[in-house]
Amino acid sequence: MLAASASANAPPADVITLTDKGLYCAAGDFFIDAWKPVHRTLVTHGHSDHAHVGMGEYYCSTTSESILRWRLGEQNIHALPFGQTITMGEVQVSLHPAGHILGSAQVRVQQGNAVWVFTGDFKREPDPTCEAFELLRCDTLICEATFAYPVYAWPTMAHEVERIERWVAHCKEQGKAAVLYAYSLGKAQRVLAGLAGKLDAPVLLHGAMARGTDIYRQAGIALAATEMVADVPTDTDFAGRMVLAPPSAQDSAWLKRFKQVEQGFASGWMLLRGNRRRRNMQRGFVISDHADWQELVDTVTESGAQRVLATHGNTDALIPYLQSLGIQAERLRTAYGDEEEAAE
């Protein structure tokens, strides 16, 4: 009788748990953004720290499918429209826009009356290159915390695009090319969307930007005119031309063809001057595809979650702050990192 009473009073088991292979839902027998080979995984988006080869089955949003096939090759992929609910084992699962990059998804899992949401990487600022973030009510929220400090408050995209335009004009006066580094999936296309119709000449693209840019255009997203660097004669005068390249191109032999350059970087990390100096950049543009501090706090409080598991970043400030609001907050140590794209 004592054992039965103790069992009746036991708290419900977690719907999603952390394993050495990724986040796992035992009741549905699937992983989310698994980082080691598993039989079935849901993938929130196509960045390299969330989408890995070697899985038996992949589930992703419809608009993310072409990105996964580009980055992972031919795989057994099941594409789901946003908002469609499917049953997996004992749970109901649906994907909802995360606003991070094209096709990025939050994962909603319901078992009985318990609702869990994993945000994946997300932002709430309007972005014409991806589906708008959808606020989801839940009991437990697994939330990214990449920029979880109050100092991180993003300027508007329009403000940073105007700064890029002025920088390109400055480089033209100085007889230099303006080389802007950005991640090749998502950030590059967001910059191109912001610059559509604003520059005198097409933006020159590093080869690593080509496929992702094609996918965005095929999805109907308007981008600035572009030209591949490889298609431009080597004796071209690059003064005043804007060049978009992945971070790995910095200090490479590829850069020498432009002769005189100024270098800039588009990232939320550029909000802090020290980060710009450490990367040896003349300019930093604060363009992030992650939520800033206020967006993180607003998302947690508006979700109604009574329990928050913060992951993917530094949680030293976020967890005590949420606890001060009466929310049960803990750190979840996943293997997700930054989209550095070593292959670029």
Side-chain angles (χ1 to χ4, degrees):
M1 289 296 292
L2 181 61
S5 177
S7 176
N9 294 327
D14 285 349
V15 176
I16 297 172
T17 57
L18 179 64
T19 75
D20 62 350
K21 296 179 179 178
L23 298 174
Y24 180 59
C25 176
D29 192 23
F30 62 84
F31 288 80
I32 304 174
D33 287 349
W35 49 79
K36 291 183 179 179
V38 298
H39 63 290
R40 183 183 304 122
T41 187
L42 278 65
V43 179
T44 59
H45 64 283
H47 279 156
S48 59
D49 57 333
H50 291 258
H52 301 267
V53 297
M55 313 299 167
E57 291 181 283
Y58 296 81
Y59 288 77
C60 67
S61 73
T62 303
T63 45
S64 195
E65 180 179 4
S66 57
I67 293 174
L68 261 59
R69 293 196 184 283
W70 160 41
R71 307 208 103 187
L72 304 179
E74 284 305 311
Q75 305 287 344
N76 184 8
I77 297 176
H78 307 278
L80 302 176
F82 283 126
Q84 176 179 312
T85 299
I86 61 173
T87 298
M88 302 179 80
E90 301 172 4
V91 301
Q92 285 72 53
V93 181
S94 54
L95 303 179
H96 303 264
H100 177 57
I101 65 170
L102 180 64
S104 58
Q106 303 174 82
V107 181
R108 182 184 187 275
V109 182
Q110 181 166 359
Q111 182 179 26
N113 294 323
V115 177
W116 285 53
V117 169
F118 174 46
T119 65
D121 292 348
F122 78 99
K123 72 174 181 298
R124 297 178 63 162
E125 181 184 5
D127 178 352
T129 67
C130 62
E131 303 86 349
F133 173 84
E134 179 182 349
L135 180 67
L136 299 172
R137 300 281 295 180
C138 60
D139 303 299
T140 301
L141 183 70
I142 303 177
C143 180
E144 69 136 318
T146 304
F147 291 101
Y149 276 107
V151 69
Y152 290 112
W154 306 142
T156 66
M157 183 65 182
H159 180 272
E160 295 305 279
V161 168
E162 288 179 3
R163 291 186 59 224
I164 293 174
E165 290 181 81
R166 291 198 298 271
W167 176 52
V168 173
H170 163 78
C171 287
K172 186 176 183 178
E173 294 174 357
Q174 299 296 314
K176 299 177 180 178
V179 180
L180 181 62
Y181 299 109
Y183 300 149
S184 65
L185 173 60
K187 188 67 63 61
Q189 292 74 35
R190 191 177 177 203
V191 170
L192 288 172
L195 291 172
K198 297 182 181 298
L199 297 179
D200 295 333
V203 176
L204 297 172
L205 292 187
H206 185 283
M209 306 290 190
R211 182 62 183 132
T213 300
D214 286 345
I215 289 173
Y216 273 62
R217 284 200 171 105
Q218 290 164 7
I221 297 167
L223 304 177
T226 57
E227 186 175 7
M228 300 306 299
V229 170
D231 296 335
V232 178
T234 54
D235 60 352
T236 296
D237 179 5
F238 291 103
R241 296 295 301 272
M242 181 174 166
V243 183
L244 203 52
S248 58
Q250 185 181 11
D251 299 326
S252 69
W254 178 86
L255 196 64
K256 294 179 180 178
R257 72 189 68 197
F258 305 111
K259 299 182 176 63
Q260 298 295 318
V261 302
E262 281 200 10
Q263 300 177 91
F265 192 45
S267 169
W269 301 115
M270 293 297 101
L271 185 69
L272 304 182
R273 187 172 298 177
N275 289 334
R276 194 179 74 197
R277 285 201 301 268
R278 278 190 289 276
R279 286 184 175 268
N280 196 26
M281 296 290 169
Q282 284 82 38
R283 302 294 178 102
F285 300 97
V286 185
I287 301 173
S288 176
D289 289 324
H290 294 266
D292 65 10
W293 168 263
Q294 193 59 54
E295 287 181 335
L296 285 171
V297 171
D298 288 348
T299 300
V300 169
T301 56
E302 292 170 13
S303 73
Q306 294 302 304
R307 183 185 180 199
V308 173
L309 305 175
T311 184
H312 193 172
N314 192 319
T315 60
D316 291 351
L318 183 64
I319 287 178
Y321 180 77
L322 296 179
Q323 290 172 338
S324 75
L325 301 179
I327 297 171
Q328 181 185 346
E330 311 160 36
R331 181 175 184 179
L332 195 65
R333 296 179 182 275
T334 61
Y336 309 129
D338 203 0
E339 169 70 357
E340 288 291 350
E341 302 180 290
E344 291 177 339

